[in-house]
Amino acid sequence: MPESGQKTTQGNITDSPVVTAARRTGLLVTLVLGGLTALPPLSMDMYLPALPEVTGALRAPAATVQLTLTACLAGMALGQLVVGPMSDKWGRRRPLLTGMAVYVLATAVCALAPTAELLIGFRLLQGLAGAAGIVIARAVVRDLYDGVEMARFFSTLMLISGVAPIIAPLIGGQILRITDWRGVFYVLTVIGVLLTLVVWRFLHETLPPERRHEGGVGQALRTMRGLLADRVFTGYTLTGGLTFAALFAYISASPFVVQEIYGASPQTFSLLFGLNSIGLVAVGQINGKLLVGRVSLDKVLGWGLVIVLLAGLALLLMTSGVFGETGLAPVAAGLFVLMSAMSLVLPNTNAQALMRTPHAAGSASALLGTSSFLVGAVASPLVGIAGEHTAVPMAVVQLGSALLALVCFLGLCRPWRRTEQAGAPA
């Protein structure tokens, strides 16, 4: 596999008739893929305001009800490992439509679940099926675009998927004003049905038969092993996954940190959460519209990692009392910077990794997604390890994740060497 992943595919992938036809409907494809990537955060975050009500309605301990979130997250991580290789073998549409149909069924059953145990089981199935949208959306982008165009498209997708965490809790809260927690799953079922119909009608196949892989599970495992043997691909995968861990640390800890430690109201927390999401989206657009194509992807990625690292360090110093008693405003500013800088890292790690894997975009997308979700799932419980009266674990996880991500980027991707070998920016 060549060291420079940007120059391998222009002539034989993005010029096929199937791809050319799909790209003519660029805006429509963007909206469809954006909807697919927004579905997982909708599935997770719309449900968050209903957790206390679920605990009472199903007469289950809070720890048991929390497993409904863990099950969905685990399903999204593991499902990508299955669906990604399937899409390389059978094309993108069939696995995607199958996954969406199962998602709709599982979500409808969640709405009817009489016990917490059944809800946990079908939330796992919901996550497994919903993973199809995540992994295949990335693979479709790889089918349609290459080089800086792909990086720009990922930044555009971040605009759509970044709005979902902003509006999802608000939607969930409004649903609970007129119905109970089951109504959240009814709404998600309707969203799933509509998105399935849109995919069936408007998203054409982007992987022509001549580029599909034959073979079963063994072939899929060999393909993934080959991808992981590529040091640079593994470097970008780990860099993105570890950066995602810092993001998950924020998502897991911020309600507790902002409201319990700093005494902010739920409305203030919602405002800060929304502002951070806006920063994530805005910087993503700066990355896609202004930086990509003018500055090398690796340079932007590197600066993004440094900013995340410095923000994590500042948060650790503030929360540990080095600067004395720190109020909410400086901590909120540090979280805003950290979140915004994510948009300089995550789209570009995806683009750089997928540019090296035109032969197995589905499997590569699966490894990228699974690593991020699994590392995030490990990071989430660590933020509360020291109890309810300190934000230091959150900052430690964020700083440690950013530091490890930078080490992986420099040690495995070695962007300066690939730039010298390619004779152009990587």
Side-chain angles (χ1 to χ4, degrees), residues 19 21 52 72 95 114 222 405 418:
V19 169
C72 188
R222 285 191 292 272
R418 294 184 299 110

Side-chain angles (χ1 to χ4, degrees), residues 14-384:
T14 59
D15 295 335
S16 74
V18 172
V19 169
T20 301
R23 290 182 66 176
R24 290 196 188 105
T25 56
L27 177 59
L28 188 57
V29 169
T30 301
L31 294 176
V32 173
L33 297 182
L36 291 172
T37 56
L39 189 60
L42 285 176
S43 301
M44 295 290 292
D45 296 342
M46 275 180 62
Y47 174 66
L48 292 178
L51 281 177
E53 185 177 329
V54 175
T55 302
L58 299 182
R59 299 179 181 178
T64 300
V65 174
Q66 287 287 344
L67 289 177
T68 62
L69 295 176
T70 304
C72 188
L73 184 63
M76 289 178 184
L78 299 176
Q80 294 183 63
L81 290 177
V82 177
V83 179
M86 286 172 59
S87 74
D88 284 338
K89 180 178 180 180
W90 292 314
R92 311 305 184 201
R93 272 177 60 87
R94 286 170 59 190
L96 177 56
L97 288 171
T98 301
M100 291 301 299
V102 175
Y103 173 89
V104 169
L105 177 63
T107 306
V109 175
C110 285
L112 303 172
T115 66
E117 290 75 19
L118 189 62
L119 182 59
I120 291 170
F122 277 91
R123 282 285 278 177
L124 176 63
L125 182 60
Q126 184 192 43
L128 288 167
I134 311 172
V135 67
I136 293 180
R138 276 195 302 264
V140 168
V141 174
R142 183 63 190 94
D143 293 339
L144 298 180
Y145 297 97
D146 195 26
V148 296
E149 287 184 321
M150 180 164 52
R152 287 195 180 105
F153 199 95
F154 276 124
S155 293
T156 302
L157 284 185
M158 184 161 282
L159 170 63
I160 300 173
S161 61
V163 171
I166 302 175
I167 64 173
L170 300 177
I171 295 174
Q174 294 305 309
I175 293 172
L176 293 176
R177 290 171 64 92
I178 58 176
T179 183
D180 62 5
W181 66 272
R182 299 181 189 274
V184 174
F185 288 106
Y186 286 127
V187 172
L188 285 172
T189 301
V190 172
I191 293 173
V193 170
L194 293 176
L195 190 53
T196 302
L197 292 175
V198 169
V199 168
W200 176 76
R201 176 65 180 84
F202 296 109
L203 187 63
H204 303 291
E205 180 59 64
T206 59
L207 186 68
E210 62 270 17
R211 285 177 43 215
R212 297 178 189 176
H213 290 193
E214 297 298 329
V217 175
Q219 178 61 39
L221 293 176
R222 285 191 292 272
T223 298
M224 289 185 176
R225 185 175 60 190
L227 292 172
L228 292 174
D230 176 11
R231 169 180 50 79
V232 180
F233 172 82
T234 300
Y236 284 121
T237 300
L238 291 175
T239 299
L242 289 164
T243 306
F244 207 68
L247 175 62
F248 261 81
Y250 160 77
I251 293 173
S252 300
S254 60
F256 161 71
V257 170
V258 173
Q259 296 180 79
E260 298 297 327
I261 295 180
Y262 291 98
S265 66
Q267 291 74 26
T268 300
F269 165 70
S270 298
L271 176 62
L272 293 176
F273 192 90
L275 287 174
N276 288 337
S277 298
I278 290 171
L280 184 77
V281 170
V283 175
Q285 297 317 291
I286 293 173
N287 177 67
K289 305 298 183 183
L290 299 180
L291 298 179
V292 171
R294 295 180 175 87
V295 184
S296 75
L297 298 184
D298 279 331
K299 186 174 291 187
V300 175
L301 199 166
W303 277 111
L305 288 171
V306 170
I307 294 172
V308 172
L309 181 66
L310 292 176
L313 177 61
L315 285 167
L316 179 59
L317 294 176
M318 287 187 286
T319 57
S320 61
V322 172
F323 300 133
E325 187 174 347
T326 304
L328 176 60
V331 173
L335 289 172
F336 178 83
V337 172
L338 183 141
M339 284 290 292
S340 299
M342 295 285 174
S343 290
L344 300 178
V345 180
L346 298 178
N348 295 329
T349 54
N350 284 338
Q352 290 287 64
L354 289 173
M355 273 191 278
R356 301 183 63 81
T357 59
H359 60 291
S363 296
S365 177
L367 289 173
L368 285 168
T370 299
S371 64
S372 295
F373 277 92
L374 289 180
V375 174
V378 171
S380 294
L382 295 179
V383 299

